[in-house]
Amino acid sequence: MEKDLFSAIKRMVSEKDVKGLSMLALSETDRAAVDAAITALARVGNDEAVDELISFLSVEDAYLRNEAIEALQLLGARAFDRVAALLKWEKPDLRIFALNALKEMKDLRLRGLIRHVLEVETDPNVASLAVECLSEVGSGEDVVLLEAVARRFPDPYVRFAVDAARRRLE
């Protein structure tokens, strides 16, 4: 990454130029520059920066999407409510990206949120990831919910995820 670009990113952080950092992340082809722009957005960390990071979850570029997920994870509680709201998105892939960000936030509200997702989710892939998340933050009392999920989704992968989670929680 060139020195001028690094200086520009540093300036944009000090000025809280979220749009500039976002445009840089979207337009750069150098992964180091993309990393720096995404990290800078996380460093700014205000609501506008969180919204920009969330907007990257919809892009086709998997690298940019994954970097945004990691940045949202680092923001933790500052991003939790906004990312949790994404679980109402229509597209299952976007709900999966939201769960991937949330599961690393280690927020005390995560267990209740995951339980709610498992009660209402209609997509087996999202449900499987939510089962995995619950296995990390749940307890033995969540086994009943997990079994209900397995009955609702007769998918072998969901059954596998439920069995693995149950073993972990019991």
Side-chain angles (χ1 to χ4, degrees), residues 73-92:
Q73 291 168 346
L74 291 173
L75 288 169
R78 288 185 284 167
F80 187 89
D81 291 332
R82 285 179 135 76
V83 176
L86 305 179
L87 295 171
K88 296 175 184 170
W89 278 356
E90 185 178 323
K91 293 182 179 180

Side-chain angles (χ1 to χ4, degrees), residues 60-80:
E60 291 295 317
D61 182 344
Y63 184 80
L64 181 57
R65 232 183 11 245
N66 289 333
E67 290 298 307
I69 288 169
E70 287 182 21
L72 290 165
Q73 291 168 346
L74 291 173
L75 288 169
R78 288 185 284 167
F80 187 89

Side-chain angles (χ1 to χ4, degrees), residues 53-149:
L53 290 167
I54 286 171
S55 76
F56 295 153
L57 300 181
S58 299
V59 300
E60 291 295 317
D61 182 344
Y63 184 80
L64 181 57
R65 232 183 11 245
N66 289 333
E67 290 298 307
I69 288 169
E70 287 182 21
L72 290 165
Q73 291 168 346
L74 291 173
L75 288 169
R78 288 185 284 167
F80 187 89
D81 291 332
R82 285 179 135 76
V83 176
L86 305 179
L87 295 171
K88 296 175 184 170
W89 278 356
E90 185 178 323
K91 293 182 179 180
D93 287 349
L94 298 177
R95 295 195 304 275
I96 287 171
F97 301 148
L99 277 173
N100 279 321
L102 288 165
K103 74 179 186 176
E104 298 300 323
M105 289 186 185
K106 308 299 182 209
D107 191 286
L108 294 176
R109 300 169 287 177
L110 185 58
R111 180 175 177 232
L113 179 65
I114 298 300
R115 287 181 56 83
H116 175 73
V117 167
L118 288 171
E119 291 167 354
V120 301
E121 185 53 56
T122 59
D123 182 86
N125 295 319
V126 178
S128 294
L129 180 56
V131 165
E132 178 188 323
C133 293
L134 189 62
S135 78
E136 296 174 13
V137 298
S139 69
E141 64 190 46
D142 294 317
V143 171
V144 172
L145 174 60
L146 292 173
E147 289 302 329
V149 170

Side-chain angles (χ1 to χ4, degrees), residues 151-170:
R151 285 189 301 276
R152 203 166 77 240
F153 296 101
D155 179 282
Y157 185 72
V158 173
R159 178 81 252 173
F160 174 80
V162 166
D163 289 345
R166 191 180 70 243
R167 282 192 300 275
R168 190 170 187 182
L169 295 174
E170 289 181 329

Side-chain angles (χ1 to χ4, degrees), residues 3-49:
K3 186 176 178 181
D4 290 343
L5 185 56
F6 179 75
S7 296
I9 290 172
K10 191 173 179 180
R11 179 190 48 74
M12 285 186 253
V13 169
S14 69
E15 295 173 1
K16 298 191 182 324
D17 182 3
V18 170
K19 290 295 181 193
L21 290 166
S22 180
M23 289 186 340
L24 181 64
L26 288 167
S27 64
E28 264 302 323
T29 56
D30 177 1
R31 286 190 170 179
V34 172
D35 290 346
I38 295 292
T39 300
L41 282 167
R43 178 179 269 169
V44 171
N46 61 18
D47 289 347
E48 184 184 8

